[in-house]
Amino acid sequence: MGRGKVVVAPEGDRWLVRRRWLDRPLPDLRKRFRQGRDEGLEENVVDGLFSVPDVTEGWASIGLAVAILLIVFVLLPLLGVALELIALIFILFSGLAGKVFFGRPWIVEAVPKDGSGRSVRFPVKGWRRAGQAAVDLSRVIATTGSPEHFQIPDLP
């Protein structure tokens, strides 16, 4: 179903009918990180960078500086990207296993485009059955205009 299908009811209301992976919206991580940020801690970290003790002059200090730069700008970002990819793959396959093997339902919902807040949601087990329920819900909205009395059909 993709991002959903916009259906126009007989009285002119526009509804977005879609099949969702989760039954709740994704968290706003940007807002969460901004609220948990401690600016005083950041100032202390910057001040601490300039109090690094002097290293003996010569090739040892240059080698140490190059090693630190390589670790900070090459090795740590590569390690971070690798860990994020591993976490993403784990989350993707665990969610897929939950849907396929454990029968977690898909959420078929109809949301009004005007934002009036009278959305309707149905849990439906199975990818095909959820797609068919979304198509049937679109037909009901297009003919009657109200998704409140929609019943999920029994499919084999």
Side-chain angles (χ1 to χ4, degrees):
M1 213 99 214
R3 297 199 183 272
K5 178 181 178 183
V6 176
V7 179
V8 180
E11 58 267 0
D13 293 337
R14 298 176 71 213
W15 291 80
L16 177 66
V17 178
R18 61 185 171 181
R19 170 177 43 199
R20 293 188 54 161
W21 180 273
L22 297 173
D23 57 348
R24 61 187 181 280
L26 294 174
D28 187 8
L29 295 178
R30 182 178 296 163
K31 181 179 176 184
R32 186 179 297 177
F33 286 134
R34 284 184 185 161
Q35 290 175 348
R37 186 172 155 189
D38 185 9
E39 293 182 14
L41 180 63
E42 292 173 2
E43 292 174 7
N44 294 336
V45 169
V46 172
D47 292 339
L49 289 176
F50 297 112
S51 64
V52 176
D54 291 336
V55 181
T56 59
E57 293 186 26
W59 292 103
S61 62
I62 293 173
L64 181 63
V66 169
I68 289 174
L69 288 174
L70 282 175
I71 289 173
V72 170
F73 291 110
V74 176
L75 189 63
L76 289 178
L78 285 176
L79 182 64
V81 168
L83 290 176
E84 285 181 10
L85 285 175
I86 290 170
L88 181 68
I89 290 170
F90 176 75
I91 290 171
L92 179 69
F93 282 121
S94 64
L96 191 61
K99 292 284 185 189
V100 173
F101 297 120
F102 301 122
R104 295 279 304 168
W106 295 89
I107 305 300
V108 176
E109 70 175 354
V111 180
K113 294 291 280 185
D114 61 358
S116 63
R118 30 174 214 167
S119 64
V120 178
R121 296 181 178 166
F122 303 99
V124 181
K125 288 188 178 182
W127 174 260
R128 288 184 188 163
R129 187 170 181 213
Q132 186 61 42
V135 169
D136 293 343
L137 181 59
S138 299
R139 287 183 190 143
V140 167
I141 291 173
T143 56
T144 65
S146 175
E148 282 84 14
H149 302 293
F150 175 71
Q151 295 293 325
I152 299 171
D154 292 327
L155 298 174

